[in-house]
Amino acid sequence: LEINSAVLAAMGERDAWHHRLWRGEVAWLLPLIDHVRLHACQSLTRAHGSDWPTRWQLPEGMSPETAHEYNPLRCELGYLKTLLRSQPALCRDGRVKPELIGQAHWIRNELAHYHPVEFAQVRELLMMVGAG
């Protein structure tokens, strides 16, 4: 049994209300963010081959000996954001937009730290996804 969110707010249960808001955001934003990440990885793989994540640098903790085993679809948002910033050639065809990856990364990090995200940030992400 759960109390209605409006009742939580009316009772001044701000922490419980924020947690409820966060749970709702996580449920629909994390799958969208993973879709953005996966779409970018697939586009980069088609355009630059399967070694694009390890061609110029290696993800933290990866040894050069295991770089050839790296699955490009597993590339994390933080590393992807760093790689796009350091290798602008990856974005030249316009399929992958660094600002979209940056916004997705920021929202994912906020949610990972149990912070609800403001509607303006979500709207910006949705507009970028719709435009891309």
Side-chain angles (χ1 to χ4, degrees):
L1 229 37
E2 286 192 315
I3 296 174
N4 186 292
S5 299
V7 173
L8 288 174
M11 291 173 49
E13 295 290 336
R14 187 167 176 80
D15 289 342
W17 185 81
H18 270 167
H19 183 71
R20 182 81 52 89
L21 179 64
W22 172 84
R23 275 186 10 208
E25 288 180 341
V26 163
W28 73 274
L29 284 172
L30 287 184
L32 173 64
I33 288 169
D34 195 51
H35 173 76
V36 166
R37 181 197 64 78
L38 188 57
H39 183 272
C41 291
Q42 289 169 333
S43 293
L44 289 168
T45 300
R46 279 192 300 274
H48 301 283
S50 62
D51 69 333
W52 66 266
T54 58
R55 190 177 303 155
W56 298 279
Q57 62 191 60
L58 297 176
E60 191 173 319
M62 179 180 286
S63 71
E65 295 81 30
T66 60
H68 69 280
E69 299 171 5
Y70 189 73
N71 181 342
L73 301 182
R74 292 183 57 215
C75 190
E76 296 286 334
L77 281 170
Y79 180 64
L80 181 57
K81 179 180 157 187
T82 299
L83 195 55
L84 294 177
R85 201 176 311 133
S86 68
Q87 300 299 323
L90 289 171
C91 304
R92 281 206 184 110
D93 63 6
R95 292 181 193 183
V96 177
K97 298 185 176 16
E99 58 276 2
L100 172 57
I101 298 303
Q103 185 70 3
H105 180 248
W106 183 86
I107 289 174
R108 192 211 53 90
N109 280 355
E110 288 297 300
L111 294 173
H113 291 98
Y114 298 102
H115 300 145
V117 181
E118 297 289 328
F119 178 70
Q121 302 297 333
V122 174
R123 181 178 50 211
E124 187 177 335
L125 176 73
L126 293 173
M127 290 176 66
M128 284 189 242
V129 169

